[in-house]
């Protein structure tokens, strides 16, 4: 009587253990960021797009037209601080608009996330990144800190009496995200400073509408300096990984921004990170990201990894052609889309 009962009970427990084991294995497989998987994803994307000859360097800033179009580097940093890369991770390009994310982070930390929302808004403008029409439409409200008007305004909100005080804080914020002292590309700075009359006009309009409350030309110049900081693909991936890791650099362990402000910052990146193609990008990848006309794109898979690609040729919307494709492939291979249901 007893023996068959025992066998039945043991069988049930075995089946349950098996089912649970399969479920756990399935979960692990869905999120596994092993060295092998990451290297395979990076190599595949690198090779697939190496020969792609589409797009052109930005040339409205003369120095950008001279950058080597063949620079192509991919880097990925996990939130546990492992660094992977393929291709050119030595060449430095100017960070350009990607800097806007990190200036916004500084303002959020100093004055709270509401300060940006209340001053210039957190909505996509539906216009180009340096649109004057977008400013006029709502008198400089209903913008966001990732378009020029919002970014120059955010720069003007960094607390500090003198130019050097403000720039010093911005520079050290960028450095903390990257985990090293980033250089200033003097030739890019001079080239952009000599040709940024449109940004000066934007700053004056934001001043006229009361969003910038100090010298608009000073804010424009500090913004231009921030755009001229030099980064390689590994620096950008580290900056993205710091966002993925709730504001703490996963390699240096240093806090670059307050963790409570990260979700709002990622939300603005998701809304407005890739110019007019932000919606298409989010639809395809689900990743908060930011691109710059220097040819870099960063993307963040929260809690998992930061990824960056540098390749200067841009498409019509101003986003690096290779970078978009490579990041989308790699994230897909590694389950980076935060909206993807766990398998
Ligand atoms: N410094 C550039 C500008 O203000 C940044 C543009 C960009 O990367 O989107 O025009």
């Amino acid at each position: 009587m007893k023996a068959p009962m025992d066998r039945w009970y043991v069988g049930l427990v075995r089946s349950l253990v098996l089912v649970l084991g399969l479920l756990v294995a399935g979960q692990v497989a869905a999120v596994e960021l092993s060295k092998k998987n990451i290297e395979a994803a990076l190599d595949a994307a690198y090779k697939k797009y190496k020969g792609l000859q589409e797009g052109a360097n930005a040339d409205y800033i003369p120095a950008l037209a001279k950058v080597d179009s063949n620079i192509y580097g991919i880097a990925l940093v996990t939130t546990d601080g492992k660094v992977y890369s393929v291709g050119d991770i030595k060449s430095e390009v100017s960070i350009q608009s990607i800097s806007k994310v990190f200036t916004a982070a500084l303002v959020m930390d100093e004055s709270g996330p509401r300060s940006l929302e209340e001053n210039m808004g957190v909505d996509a403008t539906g216009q180009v990144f340096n649109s004057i029409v977008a400013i006029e439409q709502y008198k400089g409200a209903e913008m966001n800190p990732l378009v020029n008007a919002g970014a120059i305004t955010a720069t003007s909100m960094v607390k500090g009496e003198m130019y050097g005080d403000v720039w010093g804080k911005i520079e050290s914020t960028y450095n903390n995200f990257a985990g090293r002292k980033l250089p200033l590309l003097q030739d890019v700075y001079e080239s952009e400073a000599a040709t940024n009359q449109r940004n000066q006009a934007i700053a004056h309009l934001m001043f006229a509408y009361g969003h910038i409350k100090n010298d608009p030309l000073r804010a424009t110049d500090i913004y231009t300096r921030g755009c001229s900081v030099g980064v390689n693909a590994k620096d950008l991936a580290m900056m993205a990984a710091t966002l993925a890791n709730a504001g703490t650099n996963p390699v240096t362990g240093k806090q670059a921004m307050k963790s409570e402000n990260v979700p709002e910052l990622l939300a603005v990146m998701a809304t407005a990170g890739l110019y007019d193609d932000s919606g298409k990008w989010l639809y395809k990848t689900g990743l908060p990201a930011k691109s710059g006309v220097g040819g870099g794109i960063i993307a963040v898979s929260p809690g998992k990894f930061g990824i960056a690609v540098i390749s200067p040729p841009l498409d019509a919307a101003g986003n690096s052609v290779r970078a978009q494709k490579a990041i989308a492939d790699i994230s897909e291979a590694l389950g980076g889309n935060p909206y993807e249901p766990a398998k």
Side-chain angles (χ1 to χ4, degrees), residues 60-61 96-97 100 129 148 192 199 223 227 275 291-294:
Y60 75 101
I61 299 169
Q96 293 299 337
S97 259
K100 292 166 174 162
F129 68 96
N148 287 14
E192 187 165 346
N199 284 340
Y223 159 81
C227 289
Y275 308 115
S291 68
V293 291

Side-chain angles (χ1 to χ4, degrees), residues 32-318:
E32 197 187 13
L33 287 175
S34 66
K35 180 173 169 6
K36 188 168 153 260
N37 287 351
I38 296 174
E39 284 175 351
L42 261 58
D43 281 347
Y46 182 76
K47 289 197 190 103
K48 188 166 163 193
Y49 302 116
K50 182 139 178 58
L52 189 70
Q53 296 293 332
E54 269 176 43
N57 284 25
D59 59 5
Y60 75 101
I61 299 169
L64 298 186
K66 295 193 207 126
V67 174
D68 180 1
S69 307
N70 295 314
I71 294 170
Y72 178 35
I74 304 180
L76 183 150
V77 180
T78 57
T79 48
D80 59 359
K82 299 203 176 70
V83 181
Y84 301 89
S85 64
V86 58
D88 182 349
I89 53 149
K90 291 244 149 64
S91 295
E92 287 165 349
V93 299
S94 51
I95 187 168
Q96 293 299 337
S97 259
I98 301 170
S99 65
K100 292 166 174 162
V101 172
F102 306 101
T103 301
L106 172 58
V107 176
M108 284 171 141
D109 274 14
E110 279 193 338
S111 306
R114 298 287 92 77
S115 61
L116 292 175
E117 190 185 347
E118 281 158 15
N119 194 353
M120 86 280 292
V122 287
D123 270 305
T125 63
Q127 304 283 344
V128 291
F129 68 96
N130 58 2
S131 171
I132 285 170
V133 171
I135 303 174
E136 283 298 297
Q137 202 175 2
Y138 300 108
K139 297 191 163 49
E142 302 289 323
M143 319 277 303
N144 68 73
L146 303 186
V147 293
N148 287 14
I152 299 170
T153 304
T155 306
S156 79
M157 293 165 73
V158 174
K159 295 190 171 128
E161 203 53 50
M162 309 297 286
Y163 184 114
D165 303 330
V166 174
W167 171 245
K169 281 204 239 171
I170 291 178
E171 192 183 24
S172 66
T173 301
Y174 295 1
N175 292 345
N176 289 340
F177 272 97
R180 74 161 178 127
K181 175 147 181 31
L182 298 170
L184 184 82
L185 303 182
Q186 193 63 29
D187 59 328
V188 177
Y189 169 67
E190 282 168 19
S191 176
E192 187 165 346
T195 53
N196 69 352
Q197 291 75 19
R198 187 182 177 90
N199 284 340
Q200 294 174 25
I202 285 172
H204 275 109
L205 267 179
M206 292 303 275
F207 179 81
Y209 287 132
H211 302 283
I212 292 182
K213 296 183 175 64
N214 46 34
D215 180 1
L217 290 182
R218 187 181 92 167
T220 310
D221 194 66
I222 297 174
Y223 159 81
T224 303
R225 191 175 284 272
C227 289
S228 311
V229 163
V231 281
N232 59 40
K234 197 182 133 197
D235 295 325
L236 287 179
M238 197 70 76
M239 295 172 100
T242 301
L243 291 170
N245 194 39
T248 295
N249 184 304
V251 171
T252 64
K254 194 162 181 177
Q255 189 178 23
M257 75 177 289
K258 291 178 187 161
S259 60
E260 64 261 34
N261 293 331
V262 172
E264 279 100 332
L265 188 56
L266 293 180
V268 182
M269 291 169 72
T271 308
L274 262 74
Y275 308 115
D276 284 356
D277 280 350
S278 299
K280 278 189 210 118
W281 170 262
L282 194 66
Y283 188 79
K284 187 166 188 194
T285 67
L287 298 178
K290 183 72 198 91
S291 68
V293 291
I297 299 185
I298 61 169
V300 178
S301 182
K304 292 184 178 174
F305 58 79
I307 182 168
V309 176
I310 292 179
S311 169
L314 311 177
D315 65 13

